[in-house]
């Protein structure tokens, strides 16, 4: 069948894709939302930096574990209702977080937020790919753009509302999630319109709790998951600990992480596909991760120079944006399993790294000094590069598929 020119444009999408994309932006606001208010939370709730960074640890740990059950839930509830359940849980726990009275209560509530995010995130990627009219690669770029916008807007919202009260950002996300719920309710069909999309998948079969673990028997997926676990030590060291060494107010931190998120969003959409074509997927990933590791090491050397830290944080967004799109694309082709199962297995591993890193970074600063967390984070990222290169043979088919494409 001949298609009209431009039919497969990344912008030519059904309403469902745009509804999921908007909800993804709001969901990922939660990742960067607390960055500008971490020092304020520490001050107002009389908590240490390592206690405050537990807001990332509980969030990511619950997400990692919950990723294992998302496939089972979505295969029974369906994509639409799984997404909406995730949105409701995020709205509920963010509102409760804004009402909390102590650091430990807030840490537990962030864990509940992580449960909602797991249901949403694991389902959103496969949903956008499934509903999209423009092919898997462009659908992933659209998803990564939504993530980038959410991560960038989150700190801006957090800084603006946080300058009024540290509770403001939590209530703000709850309200926005209510809007996302309405968009999904009215703009997304209850069932996948299989005949309407060239990427439509067969009816979803019910998955078991063991499927993500079975998926890890495929070496390529396991290699990518372990690599993500390692480089997330650096990623979440930057997110969770950098705010404490910049010595800026809430608005100032919001603007810094806005710049970081904007670079992440722009590079994930426009630069990552060019790097993939020019260097190949695996080489491009290794280059971006190496540059990110060097950036963290530079932050360790010049921790006391605020201007260096600010520039390094913003610049890191470019390296992470490219890598996120590249590795997400790779994961979708890494193993002959359902996309949602591959995403769950991979996300379980990577969020384990995201759970350990924030608390570990805070403790390293307490045990040694403020330089050490960045050195250690950079070291973990370099180890992830070496791990990918050492297991390159398992990823050979991915580069060959990219070259053929």
């Amino acid at each position: 069948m001949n298609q009209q020119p431009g039919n497969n444009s990344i912008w030519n999408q059904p309403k469902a894709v745009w509804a999921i994309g908007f909800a993804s932006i709001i969901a990922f606001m939660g990742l960067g939302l607390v960055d500008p208010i971490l020092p304020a939370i520490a001050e107002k709730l009389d908590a240490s930096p390592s206690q405050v960074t537990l807001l990332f640890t509980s969030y990511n740990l619950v997400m990692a574990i919950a990723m294992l059950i998302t496939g089972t839930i979505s295969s029974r509830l369906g994509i639409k209702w799984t997404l909406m359940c995730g949105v409701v849980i995020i709205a509920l726990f963010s509102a409760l977080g804004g009402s909390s009275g102590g650091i430990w209560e807030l840490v537990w509530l962030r864990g509940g937020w992580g449960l909602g995010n797991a249901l949403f995130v694991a389902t959103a990627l496969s949903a956008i790919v499934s509903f999209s009219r423009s092919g898997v690669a462009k659908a992933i770029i659209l998803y990564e753009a939504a993530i980038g916008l959410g991560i960038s807007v989150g700190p801006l919202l957090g800084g603006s509302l946080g300058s009024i009260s540290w509770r403001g950002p939590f209530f703000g996300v709850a309200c926005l999630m209510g809007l996302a719920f309405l968009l999904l309710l009215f703009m997304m069909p209850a069932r996948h319109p299989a005949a309407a999309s060239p990427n439509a998948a067969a009816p979803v079969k019910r998955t078991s709790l063991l499927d993500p673990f079975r998926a890890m028997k495929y070496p390529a997926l396991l290699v990518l998951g372990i690599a993500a676990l390692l480089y997330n030590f650096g990623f979440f060291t930057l997110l969770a600990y950098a705010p404490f060494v910049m010595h800026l107010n809430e608005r100032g931190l919001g603007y810094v992480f806005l710049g970081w998120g904007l670079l992440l969003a722009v590079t994930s959409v426009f630069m990552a596909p060019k790097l993939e074509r020019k260097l190949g997927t695996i080489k491009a990933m290794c280059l971006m991760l190496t540059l990110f590791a060097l950036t963290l090491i530079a932050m360790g050397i010049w921790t006391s120079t605020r201007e260096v830290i600010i520039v390094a944080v913003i610049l890191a967004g470019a390296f992470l944006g490219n890598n996120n799109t590249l590795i997400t694309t790779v994961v979708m082709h890494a193993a002959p399993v359902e996309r949602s199962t591959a995403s769950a297995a991979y996300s379980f591993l990577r969020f384990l790294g995201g759970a350990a890193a924030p608390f570990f970074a805070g403790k390293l600063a307490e045990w040694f000094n403020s330089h050490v967390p960045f050195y250690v984070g950079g070291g973990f990222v370099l180890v992830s590069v070496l791990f990918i290169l050492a297991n390159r043979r398992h990823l050979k088919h991915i580069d060959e598929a990219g070259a053929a494409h």
Side-chain angles (χ1 to χ4, degrees):
M1 181 176 68
N2 293 327
Q3 293 185 348
Q4 294 297 323
N7 260 11
N8 65 345
S9 166
I10 193 173
W11 308 113
N12 180 31
Q13 304 291 354
K15 290 188 296 183
V17 169
W18 295 118
I20 298 166
F22 179 77
S24 298
I25 292 172
I26 300 172
F28 274 94
M29 282 182 181
L31 192 62
L33 177 88
V34 298
D35 275 305
I37 57 174
L38 288 177
I41 291 174
E43 180 184 352
K44 298 295 183 183
L45 298 183
D46 193 26
S48 67
S50 62
Q51 289 175 326
V52 173
T53 54
L54 284 171
L55 295 176
F56 282 100
T57 293
S58 62
Y59 177 83
N60 285 320
L61 181 60
V62 172
M63 275 191 75
I65 296 170
M67 283 292 176
L68 299 173
I69 64 171
T70 54
T72 302
I73 294 172
S74 64
S75 67
R76 286 160 175 76
L77 293 182
I79 288 176
K80 177 175 181 175
W81 295 106
T82 304
L83 289 173
M84 291 175 66
C85 282
V87 167
V88 168
I89 293 171
I90 293 170
L92 173 64
F93 280 95
S94 60
L96 290 173
S99 305
S100 62
I103 186 62
W104 296 111
E105 181 183 354
L106 188 56
V107 167
W108 282 104
L109 290 171
R110 272 284 282 185
W113 188 337
L115 172 62
N117 232 45
L119 289 172
F120 182 88
V121 169
T123 311
L125 175 56
S126 58
I128 284 183
V129 169
S130 185
F131 279 96
S132 174
R133 298 179 181 133
S134 58
V136 174
K138 290 180 180 177
I140 289 172
I141 290 172
L142 197 63
Y143 175 74
E144 290 295 336
I147 290 175
L149 285 173
I151 288 175
S152 60
V153 174
L156 184 63
L157 178 68
S160 299
L161 296 178
S163 64
I164 302 169
S165 167
W166 69 264
R167 301 178 188 274
F170 291 91
F171 292 127
V173 166
C175 293
L176 287 171
M177 272 301 175
L179 176 58
F181 179 87
L182 293 175
L183 287 174
L184 291 172
L185 180 64
F186 293 111
M187 293 177 66
M188 189 173 175
R191 300 182 66 182
H192 190 284
S197 171
N199 305 312
V204 177
K205 66 177 182 179
R206 292 196 172 192
T207 59
S208 78
L209 294 173
L210 296 177
D211 282 350
F213 292 104
R214 293 190 184 109
M216 292 181 205
K217 73 180 182 181
Y218 295 100
L221 188 59
L222 184 61
V223 167
L224 293 169
I226 293 174
L229 184 155
L230 293 168
Y231 90 73
N232 261 348
F233 267 83
F235 183 24
F236 281 96
T237 295
L238 182 139
L239 273 185
Y241 188 69
F244 289 101
V245 300
M246 282 190 272
H247 305 294
L248 295 170
N249 61 21
E250 291 87 352
R251 285 186 183 274
L253 288 171
Y255 286 127
V256 171
F257 281 98
L258 170 65
W260 172 80
L262 287 175
L263 262 186
L264 187 148
V266 169
T267 53
S268 67
V269 175
F270 298 107
M271 190 173 173
K274 294 179 181 178
L275 281 172
E276 184 178 17
R277 288 193 296 270
K278 188 173 181 66
L279 300 176
T281 308
I282 307 305
K283 281 185 181 178
M285 280 171 49
C286 290
L287 174 61
M288 291 300 104
L289 289 174
T290 300
L291 291 173
F292 176 48
L294 294 175
T295 302
L296 286 170
I297 292 169
M299 292 172 71
I301 296 171
W302 290 287
T303 306
S304 302
T305 308
R306 181 166 63 182
E307 292 76 14
V308 172
I309 298 297
I310 291 171
V311 171
V313 167
I314 294 172
L315 186 61
F319 307 138
L320 290 166
N322 282 311
N323 184 69
N324 286 351
T325 294
L326 291 166
I327 199 166
T328 304
T329 305
V330 169
V331 166
M332 291 294 100
H333 300 286
V337 296
E338 295 282 339
R339 292 186 186 114
S340 58
T341 301
S343 177
Y346 164 74
S347 295
F348 167 70
L349 291 171
R350 69 171 173 143
F351 284 118
L352 284 180
F359 180 69
F360 195 43
K363 280 299 181 183
L364 284 172
E366 292 175 9
W367 293 335
F368 302 103
N369 56 60
S370 58
H371 302 260
V372 174
F374 299 111
Y375 289 135
V376 173
F380 270 102
V381 178
L382 284 177
V383 171
S384 76
V385 175
L386 295 174
F387 183 75
I388 291 171
L389 293 176
N391 292 277
R392 182 73 183 268
R393 66 189 184 281
H394 297 307
L395 306 174
K396 186 178 178 182
H397 68 286
I398 294 168
D399 263 342
E400 289 173 349
H405 175 73

